[in-house]
């Protein structure tokens, strides 16, 4: 799967209300940066950083993938 295909899948799911947000409750800070920091503290590795507002950060841990954006 290409990065563009992964982003399209993530965007479609997120826009239809199926987003997964395990790291948005960190100390009352619901920013993307806080979620990424919390995920990293939980062992996730950033594979692709979001460099613009229309991008997502892609993280990996133990063969699983997580998009945060």
């Amino acid at each position: 799967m290409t990065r563009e295909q992964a982003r399209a899948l993530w965007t479609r799911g997120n826009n239809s209300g199926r987003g997964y947000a395990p790291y948005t409750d960190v100390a009352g800070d619901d920013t993307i940066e806080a979620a990424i920091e919390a995920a990293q503290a939980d062992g996730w590795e950033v594979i692709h950083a979001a460099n613009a507002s229309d991008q997502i950060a892609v993280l990996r841990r133990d063969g699983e993938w997580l998009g945060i954006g």
Side-chain angles (χ1 to χ4, degrees), residues 7-26:
R7 179 175 171 247
L9 285 171
W10 181 90
T11 301
R12 188 172 30 231
N14 190 60
N15 289 347
S16 64
R18 291 178 290 150
Y20 172 60
Y23 296 105
T24 58
D25 60 349
V26 179

Side-chain angles (χ1 to χ4, degrees), residues 7-59:
R7 179 175 171 247
L9 285 171
W10 181 90
T11 301
R12 188 172 30 231
N14 190 60
N15 289 347
S16 64
R18 291 178 290 150
Y20 172 60
Y23 296 105
T24 58
D25 60 349
V26 179
D29 188 349
D30 63 355
T31 64
I32 292 170
E33 293 79 12
I36 291 171
E37 286 180 22
Q40 288 178 302
D42 201 22
W44 290 89
E45 174 188 5
V46 175
I47 301 302
H48 172 71
N51 297 316
S53 62
D54 67 337
Q55 296 182 351
I56 65 168
V58 178
L59 297 88

